[in-house]
Amino acid sequence: MTLRLRRGSSLAVASHNQGKLREFRDLLGPYGVKVVSAGELGVPEPVETGETFEENAQLKAVITAFASGVPALADDSGLAVEALGGAPGIHSARWAGEPRDFYRAMERVEEELQAKGATSPERRRAKFVCVLCLANPMGAAQFFEGTVEGHLVWPPRGEKGFGYDPIFVPDGYDQTFGEMDPAKKHAISHRANAFAAFHAAVLEGDAGQD
Ligand code: IMP
């Protein structure tokens, strides 16, 4: 399937994470796409039983498209740390425990890096990965992937982002994502890169004044 979204189209965003919802609204608003969230639609958060970012994104998008009757966009994302074999990866949210505590998750990453003697920036390479899945209410799906490479610092710095932002410094910058203005992060993030692929394939028209 190749689905196209034009100005005025409705799109259900299959996320309950307020930080991500805010980013999606910022990214989609200029194209005049009406964003409604899974929470507003009363669609519960599914258990993420997939073993890859793709499987988890598809699971969330398909459930939300079925429930809403309009196309649904889901992302599955996370932090992949090279020295930790790609962990926490699809388990990024779960490393924060319940209730979510990302300081604890960042501390766990740091402890595991210290245990491996990973102290130099080269040994602390990491990337954020984002896979977007767009599903129509019939269940057909399209995927778009984006990454942003960088390294991890300790202690955490900045309070502007969410999740692991305070320990991630993207290549070419000195600030962490937690210290960066949201507009700057949105221009270079994994979600922005995945969104650029989504935009090229799916969105019609130009960014306007909506
Ligand atoms: P999920 O995609 O909702 O399963 O969760 C992804 C998790 O990865 C989030 O809860 C964050 O911990 C982390 N994550 C994803 N994107 C970002 C980001 O842009 N900044 C910081 N952490 C992120």
Side-chain angles (χ1 to χ4, degrees):
M1 102 172 156
T2 307
L3 194 71
R4 307 277 296 168
L5 293 172
R6 51 182 62 87
R7 203 160 270 278
S9 303
S10 291
L11 180 70
V13 171
S15 179
H16 292 257
N17 175 318
Q18 292 308 317
K20 283 193 200 171
L21 276 171
R22 197 169 52 238
E23 287 192 12
F24 276 123
R25 287 210 156 98
D26 287 353
L27 291 165
L28 289 161
Y31 293 89
V33 173
K34 291 183 200 148
V35 172
V36 50
S37 73
E40 286 159 355
L41 291 164
V43 180
E45 204 163 3
V47 181
E48 295 185 13
T49 51
E51 288 177 6
T52 61
F53 289 115
E54 282 79 4
E55 284 175 11
N56 283 333
Q58 184 168 11
L59 196 133
K60 292 184 270 192
V62 168
I63 287 176
T64 308
F66 279 153
S68 64
V70 296
L73 184 65
D75 92 320
D76 200 54
S77 54
L79 179 72
V81 183
E82 207 173 284
L84 306 183
I90 61 164
H91 304 292
S92 293
R94 275 164 272 181
W95 274 33
E98 241 0 295
R100 298 265 191 262
D101 176 353
F102 278 100
Y103 187 82
R104 192 161 76 189
M106 291 188 285
E107 226 172 20
R108 178 168 168 193
V109 170
E110 183 58 23
E111 280 164 13
E112 297 201 8
L113 281 173
Q114 291 296 336
K116 293 197 180 293
T119 50
S120 65
E122 307 81 65
R123 299 274 332 271
R124 298 169 63 88
R125 301 288 304 161
K127 64 181 174 185
F128 275 120
V129 179
C130 172
V131 173
L132 289 171
C133 176
L134 178 67
N136 72 16
M138 306 297 288
Q142 283 166 268
F143 296 92
F144 311 94
E145 182 174 339
T147 56
V148 57
E149 306 257 353
H151 72 276
L152 301 180
V153 293
W154 194 260
R157 304 192 321 239
E159 286 168 3
K160 289 190 176 137
F162 68 98
Y164 297 85
D165 280 344
I167 55 170
F168 183 82
V169 177
D171 287 346
Y173 296 83
D174 297 321
Q175 287 181 312
T176 66
F177 268 172
E179 295 172 307
M180 257 182 206
D181 281 338
K184 202 160 151 190
K185 176 187 169 187
H186 290 182
I188 60 168
S189 75
H190 47 315
R191 224 170 331 278
N193 292 336
F195 184 81
F198 166 79
H199 174 199
V202 176
L203 289 179
E204 293 193 349
D206 299 320
Q209 294 301 312
D210 283 271

